[in-house]
């Protein structure tokens, strides 16, 4: 059995720090005054399908490959914008609803050392209950620009609010002001706010947001034609992302299904609408610094733009990667050590934006 532990710096432990977020909380004027929104020009983006050197796209009878799950769909189906929903991820919010159908789950640290999820959907059809939904953070809302996703949340930090005012490409639906959201009285607020797929579509029409992708929207990810093993990968039947001593979720590889099963808080992570454990074909780990926003005592400001290192795991194997994201408006791309872009296997992907002070292990 091969095992490896990666540790960088001290353990991230922010417990006891002030929580700041969402749902009608008044702005902290001192924090607001010290924060300047970083605006950069939109990168020049191509809407053409990237071609991988040495490989040719096979004929799929006029179908195109979806760029967040690798499935082959009709061109008209691939034109719809994605939906991104902020999901509560603390113990009191378990189990979550409607997230098994997400093509990508995106996890980042917020205040107090907890994490929050963003579920990215190519199709929300049939979902009657999605949530519990929480408030926006600026590093999440900026990620939705490159995704060309409509962003669903309830409230926001003052820094996310500044982004909504200054980034015209962010289209959001806010449960603090917009209709369609509801509270489930079987749970305690703020862990009980939900929305349905139909209500999201109604709000898109109410806001008059376009449902069609931008003509210059950047392609998200590249996918293999079929399931392909990482021949140069190390064994990774269990992958643990230890943010700190109190937050150590992990994935276990199931060789029968060739998927990674997700665990957190000592048990399976379940979607209560289906009763199923969350599973993923691909794991992407993006390692970056997590400084505080200057002038604040608790607000995280991960350095997600630029370049860095990370890991990619699939089919029980893992390899080191590098990542690059030149602008807030661009997509993060992942590369092998030889510089070629990672080809994901078709299926769902879990992306962890991991602090460089944490610890990653696999075995």
């Amino acid at each position: 059995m091969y095992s490896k532990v990666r540790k960088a710096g001290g353990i991230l432990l922010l417990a006891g720090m002030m929580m700041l977020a969402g749902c009608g909380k008044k702005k902290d004027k001192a924090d607001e005054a010290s924060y300047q929104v970083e605006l950069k020009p939109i990168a020049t983006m191509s809407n053409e399908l990237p071609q991988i050197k040495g490989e040719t796209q096979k004929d799929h009878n006029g179908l195109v490959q979806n760029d967040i799950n690798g499935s082959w769909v009709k061109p008209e189906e691939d034109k719809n914008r994605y939906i991104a929903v902020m999901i509560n991820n603390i113990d009191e919010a378990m189990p979550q609803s409607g997230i098994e159908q997400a093509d990508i789950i995106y996890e980042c640290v917020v205040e107090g050392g907890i994490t929050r999820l963003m579920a990215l959907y190519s199709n929300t059809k049939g979902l009657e209950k999605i949530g519990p939904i929480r408030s926006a953070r600026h590093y999440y809302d900026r990620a939705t620009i490159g995704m060309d996703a409509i962003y669903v949340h309830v409230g926001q930090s003052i820094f996310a609010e500044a982004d909504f005012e200054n980034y015209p490409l962010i289209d959001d639906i806010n449960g603090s002001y917009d209709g369609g959201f509801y509270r489930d009285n079987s749970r305690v607020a703020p862990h009980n706010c939900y929305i349905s797929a139909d209500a999201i579509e109604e709000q898109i029409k109410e806001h008059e947001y376009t449902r069609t992708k931008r003509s210059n929207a950047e392609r998200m990810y590249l996918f293999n034609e079929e399931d392909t093993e990482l021949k140069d990968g190390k064994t990774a039947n269990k992958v643990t992302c230890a943010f700190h001593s109190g937050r150590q979720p992990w994935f276990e590889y199931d060789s029968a299904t060739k998927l990674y099963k997700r665990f957190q808080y000592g048990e399976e992570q379940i979607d209560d609408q289906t009763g199923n454990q969350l599973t993923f074909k691909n794991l992407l780990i993006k390692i970056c610094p997590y400084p505080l926003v200057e002038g604040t005592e608790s607000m995280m400001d991960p350095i997600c733009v630029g370049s860095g290192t990370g890991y990619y795991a699939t089919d029980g194997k893992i390899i080191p990667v590098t990542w690059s994201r030149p602008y807030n408006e661009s997509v993060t791309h992942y590369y092998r050590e030889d510089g070629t872009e990672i080809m994901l296997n078709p299926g769902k992907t879990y992306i962890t934006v991991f602090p460089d002070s944490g610890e990653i292990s696999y075995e």
Side-chain angles (χ1 to χ4, degrees):
M1 177 183 294
Y2 177 90
S3 65
K4 179 179 177 70
V5 175
R6 182 192 186 281
K7 185 178 178 66
I11 297 298
L12 176 68
L13 183 56
L14 300 174
M17 288 186 171
M18 174 184 66
M19 298 296 292
L20 178 70
C23 301
K25 183 175 180 63
K26 293 183 179 179
K27 297 180 183 179
D28 183 327
K29 294 297 183 182
D31 279 355
E32 185 177 28
S34 67
Y35 178 71
Q36 298 295 322
V37 178
E38 180 186 11
L39 294 174
K40 291 185 178 181
I42 303 297
T44 300
M45 296 180 285
S46 171
N47 194 41
E48 297 181 359
L49 179 69
Q51 296 297 311
I52 302 303
K53 186 176 180 179
E55 297 195 12
T56 304
Q57 291 287 331
K58 295 180 181 178
D59 181 12
H60 282 264
N61 299 318
L63 302 180
V64 297
Q65 198 171 27
N66 178 282
D67 66 344
I68 64 171
N69 63 32
S71 64
W72 292 91
V73 297
K74 296 178 180 179
E76 58 269 24
E77 295 175 357
D78 193 51
K79 292 180 180 179
N80 284 339
R81 297 174 69 186
Y82 302 128
I83 302 296
V85 185
M86 287 300 297
I87 301 292
N88 194 337
N89 197 45
I90 65 174
D91 198 8
E92 293 86 344
M94 300 300 113
Q96 296 139 326
S97 304
I99 66 171
E100 184 188 8
Q101 193 164 314
D103 299 282
I104 293 176
I105 299 289
Y106 188 86
E107 182 176 23
C108 298
V109 180
V110 293
E111 309 78 51
I114 66 172
T115 66
R116 193 158 290 176
L117 308 182
M118 183 167 69
L120 186 68
Y121 301 84
S122 61
N123 183 5
T124 58
K125 186 176 181 180
L127 291 177
E128 298 181 355
K129 186 178 185 181
I130 307 171
I133 303 174
R134 288 305 308 270
S135 55
R137 295 295 180 271
H138 62 284
Y139 38 98
Y140 280 103
D141 69 57
R142 294 178 184 185
T144 67
I145 301 174
M147 299 171 180
D148 197 17
I150 297 169
Y151 185 41
V152 181
H153 60 100
V154 180
Q156 63 280 317
S157 69
I158 58 175
F159 314 117
E161 184 174 12
D163 279 356
F164 297 147
E165 295 173 355
N166 288 286
Y167 278 92
L169 288 180
I170 298 175
D171 288 341
D172 74 304
I173 299 171
N174 188 347
S176 293
Y177 316 112
D178 297 322
F181 296 79
Y182 66 94
R183 296 281 179 181
D184 182 343
N185 293 328
S186 67
R187 291 192 177 187
V188 177
H191 315 300
N192 64 348
C193 187
Y194 298 88
I195 196 169
S196 68
D198 288 345
I200 291 174
E201 295 300 325
E202 290 173 4
Q203 287 304 309
I204 291 172
K205 293 178 181 178
E206 183 74 19
H207 283 279
E208 297 183 348
Y209 293 149
T210 178
R211 202 62 178 83
T212 304
K213 294 177 183 176
R214 299 192 306 268
S215 61
N216 67 341
E218 185 178 6
R219 184 175 179 86
M220 290 280 288
Y221 302 109
L222 301 175
F223 286 87
N224 293 310
E225 291 275 344
E226 56 190 25
D227 190 31
T228 304
E229 183 178 307
L230 293 173
K231 295 181 180 180
D232 54 345
K234 302 295 185 181
T235 298
N237 290 319
K238 181 179 181 180
V239 179
T240 302
C241 295
F243 293 91
H244 52 76
S245 60
R247 177 74 187 135
Q248 301 189 35
W250 74 95
F251 301 86
E252 293 183 7
Y253 181 63
D254 183 343
S255 59
T257 62
K258 302 188 75 173
L259 299 174
Y260 280 98
K261 296 179 178 180
R262 169 76 174 182
F263 296 80
Q264 62 176 7
Y265 304 114
E267 60 186 13
E268 300 173 350
Q269 186 172 359
I270 302 294
D271 185 324
D272 67 4
Q273 299 301 286
T274 64
N276 296 332
Q277 184 176 9
L278 301 188
T279 59
F280 300 90
K281 187 64 180 178
N282 306 293
L283 308 180
L284 283 171
I285 302 171
K286 176 182 179 179
I287 302 170
C288 62
Y290 265 84
L292 298 178
V293 176
E294 185 177 356
T296 74
E297 297 181 353
S298 65
M299 296 301 296
M300 309 306 299
D301 193 20
I303 301 176
C304 299
V305 173
S307 60
T309 61
Y311 293 95
Y312 169 52
T314 189
D315 289 345
K317 301 288 185 179
I318 193 168
I319 60 172
V321 299
T322 59
W323 61 265
S324 175
R325 181 184 173 196
Y327 301 96
N328 282 319
E329 299 86 355
S330 59
V331 173
T332 299
H333 293 283
Y334 298 84
Y335 302 89
R336 289 175 172 268
E337 290 183 315
D338 64 5
T340 57
E341 187 163 1
I342 292 294
M343 300 282 287
L344 302 180
N345 278 327
K348 299 176 183 178
T349 300
Y350 198 102
I351 301 174
T352 304
V353 181
F354 193 74
D356 60 2
S357 56
E359 184 177 287
I360 299 165
S361 63
Y362 52 88
E363 59 189 53

